[in-house]
């Protein structure tokens, strides 16, 4: 039986290799026939318009996609700048970046190219510095969308803008139905009336918008029912689910036609959703950095919370005696707690989704990991007692004694 299993395994490996090779071939084909940034009809650098013309989809949908990516961890800005650098302009031989290394001519000057490259670095730093794990998911989803566009619409080309000239000019004075103009007795006869053509049937648009709105309504109803038992279904999370459904409807509509009306619901919902994630209802920011250095025990809060960003709690300025208990929680980002050398620390560190833990020498990394213990410091038992509970959904957790 071992050889049969070996054959099955060999077939599985071969199938995986073929699939990966197909993906690589599609991406290479995308690069070989990449979009061209037009000079007319663009709003900024022509990246969105060029993609829309290349794959014959609505330019508004592509622009909305870039805006949504910009709100999703800032990914849209470096992606747009990269497209500006890597996609050639209409009439140019190569892209601005390729022209910078002398691979051909580009109408974009070297100074503009260098400026775009300089702007790309802070955009990338901001994106990867504040987005965390979400950035990699968004980039992977963007690459998957590019792959699907090339796979399903790569054979399409932009529609021709110039009409074809007639093959032979008509002979002056000859009726159109006498192609040779060789019947003089018929030159004064009236032209025959054209045959009436039946009206062309109106194309039936796919009901993308209606189906998408129906699915979104079901999601809201199911979330309202599930919210009675599952605390996760908050207003912000339900809005996020609806935004995901509308975005999926726009993606399907870009392939099949229709669905453009969903934009008028997606844009305001995206603004509301971004606002709800940026500021909690109690007025505390949930996106940014949190740095706290309490000087006495009464200044230490029972809980420090942040949605997305970095957290630094410095407890080294506290007195050498007494006791304090605090919790630190974050959805996404790096968390660091500093404690004094001689403090007695009881700690529990956890990353509920994926993270990297290093709490007073005890380490763990991966998905759903936690460490806990008691560390009495360099002088043994005695001194300030600290009870720490540090939890992150995704990110890096550190409890350091320095």
């Amino acid at each position: 039986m071992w050889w049969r299993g070996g054959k099955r395994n060999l077939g599985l490996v071969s199938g995986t290799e073929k699939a990966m090779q197909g993906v690589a071939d599609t991406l290479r084909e995308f690069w070989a026939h990449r979009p061209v940034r037009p000079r007319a009809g663009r709003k900024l650098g022509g990246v969105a318009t060029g993609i829309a013309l290349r794959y014959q989809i609505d330019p508004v949908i592509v622009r909305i996609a870039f805006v949504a990516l910009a709100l999703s961890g800032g990914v849209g800005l470096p992606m747009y700048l990269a497209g500006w650098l890597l996609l050639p302009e209409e009439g140019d031989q190569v892209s601005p970046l390729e022209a910078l290394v002398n691979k051909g001519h580009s109408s974009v000057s070297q100074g503009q190219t260098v400026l775009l490259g300089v702007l790309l670095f802070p955009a990338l730093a901001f994106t990867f510095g504040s987005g965390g794990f979400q950035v990699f998911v968004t980039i992977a989803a963007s690459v998957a969308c590019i792959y699907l566009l090339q796979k399903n619409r790569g054979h399409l080309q932009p529609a021709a803008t110039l009409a074809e000239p007639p093959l032979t000019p008509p002979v002056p004075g000859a009726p159109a139905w006498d192609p040779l103009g060789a019947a003089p007795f018929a030159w004064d006869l009236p032209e025959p009336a054209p045959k009436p053509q039946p009206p062309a049937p109106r194309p039936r648009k796919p009901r993308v918008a209606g189906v998408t709105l129906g699915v979104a309504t079901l999601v809201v109803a199911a979330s309202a029912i599930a919210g009675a038992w599952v605390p996760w279904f908050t207003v912000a999370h339900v809005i996020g689910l609806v935004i995901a459904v509308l975005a999926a409807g726009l993606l399907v509509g870009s392939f099949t036609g229709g669905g453009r009306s969903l934009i008028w619901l997606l844009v305001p919902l995206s603004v509301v959703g971004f606002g709800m994630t940026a500021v909690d209802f109690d007025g505390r920011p949930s996106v940014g950095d949190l740095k706290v250095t309490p000087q006495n025990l009464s200044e230490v809060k029972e809980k420090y919370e942040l949605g997305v960003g970095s957290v630094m709690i410095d407890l080294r300025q506290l007195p050498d005696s007494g006791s304090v208990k605090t919790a630190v929680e974050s959805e996404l980002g790096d968390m660091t707690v500093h404690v004094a050398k001689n403090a007695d620390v009881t700690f529990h560190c956890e990353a509920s989704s994926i993270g990297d833990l290093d709490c007073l020498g005890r380490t763990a990394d991966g998905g759903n990991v936690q460490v806990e213990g008691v560390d009495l410091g360099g002088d043994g038992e005695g001194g300030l007692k600290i009870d720490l509970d540090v939890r992150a959904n995704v990110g890096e957790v550190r409890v350091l004694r320095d």
Side-chain angles (χ1 to χ4, degrees):
M1 297 294 293
W2 61 269
W3 61 90
R4 295 182 181 176
K7 290 181 178 180
R8 286 197 296 268
N9 293 336
L10 183 61
L12 179 61
V13 172
S14 177
T16 304
E17 290 178 350
K18 289 181 178 179
M20 295 300 295
Q21 184 64 38
V23 172
D25 291 342
T26 301
L27 293 177
R28 278 196 294 268
E29 185 180 356
F30 165 79
W31 178 254
H33 303 283
R34 55 191 148 153
V36 174
R37 296 181 293 110
R39 299 181 184 273
R42 64 188 192 183
K43 301 299 182 182
L44 188 59
V47 177
T49 307
I51 294 174
L53 291 176
R54 170 66 180 85
Y55 298 106
Q56 297 188 19
I57 57 180
D58 196 328
V60 177
I61 294 178
V62 184
R63 293 182 184 124
I64 290 294
F66 273 110
V67 172
L69 288 173
L71 295 176
S72 180
V75 177
L77 181 57
M79 288 188 66
Y80 193 93
L81 290 174
W84 202 335
L85 286 168
L86 296 174
L87 300 182
E89 191 169 289
E90 182 182 0
D92 291 349
Q93 296 175 341
V94 294
S95 66
L97 190 60
E98 291 171 313
L100 192 63
V101 293
N102 298 322
K103 288 191 173 181
H105 171 72
S106 173
S107 58
V108 180
S109 67
Q110 291 187 351
Q112 290 176 310
T113 304
V114 171
L115 178 60
L116 289 172
V118 170
L119 292 175
L120 184 60
F121 284 102
L124 288 172
F126 170 78
T127 299
F128 285 95
S130 62
F133 182 71
Q134 177 189 5
V135 171
F136 296 98
V137 175
T138 306
I139 292 175
S142 302
V143 173
C145 289
I146 292 174
Y147 169 79
L148 290 175
L149 278 174
Q150 182 63 35
K151 187 74 174 176
N152 293 277
R153 304 181 74 86
H155 62 283
L156 301 177
Q157 295 292 336
T161 56
L162 297 177
E164 293 291 337
L167 294 178
T168 55
V171 178
W177 52 273
D178 184 10
L180 299 179
F185 61 88
W187 288 354
D188 295 331
L189 294 179
E191 292 284 339
K195 294 182 179 180
Q197 299 291 331
R202 298 180 62 183
R204 186 176 181 181
K205 293 184 178 180
R207 299 178 179 177
V208 176
V211 173
T212 304
L213 291 176
V215 173
T217 303
L218 291 176
V219 167
V220 173
S223 301
I225 296 173
W229 294 279
V230 182
W232 184 87
F233 288 95
T234 62
V235 175
H237 287 165
V238 174
I239 290 178
L241 291 175
V242 173
I243 290 174
V245 172
L246 296 177
L250 277 175
L251 180 61
V252 173
S254 66
F255 290 103
T256 63
R260 182 173 178 175
S261 57
L262 296 173
I263 295 174
W264 303 109
L265 182 59
L266 178 62
V267 171
L269 275 180
S270 299
V271 173
V272 172
F274 180 76
M276 294 185 70
T277 56
V279 177
D280 288 338
F281 290 111
D282 57 5
R284 294 175 301 177
S286 61
V287 176
D289 296 333
L290 175 63
K291 295 183 179 180
V292 178
T293 307
Q295 303 294 319
N296 53 67
L297 300 181
S298 61
E299 294 180 2
V300 179
K301 295 182 179 181
E302 293 183 0
K303 180 182 288 188
Y304 297 94
E305 297 179 89
L306 188 68
V308 178
S310 63
V311 179
M312 194 281 290
I313 310 296
D314 191 347
L315 303 179
R316 292 173 293 183
Q317 305 300 320
L318 296 177
D320 295 332
S321 60
S323 62
V324 66
K325 181 178 181 179
T326 186
V328 187
E329 296 183 2
S330 173
E331 289 294 325
L332 179 65
D334 298 336
M335 307 170 65
T336 304
V337 180
H338 295 276
V339 297
K341 292 182 179 180
N342 297 326
D344 298 344
V345 183
T346 302
F347 60 90
H348 175 91
C349 300
E350 180 178 341
S352 56
S353 291
I354 185 171
D356 184 6
L357 309 181
D358 183 0
C359 297
L360 296 178
R362 302 195 182 188
T363 61
D365 62 85
N368 192 18
V369 290
Q370 58 182 340
V371 296
E372 57 186 8
V374 178
D375 190 293
L376 302 178
D379 65 342
E381 187 173 359
L384 177 64
K385 299 185 182 298
I386 301 176
D387 191 339
L388 279 178
D389 188 0
V390 188
R391 301 171 184 265
N393 187 23
V394 177
E396 185 179 49
V397 176
R398 297 284 184 268
V399 177
L400 305 176
R401 189 188 292 276
D402 49 12

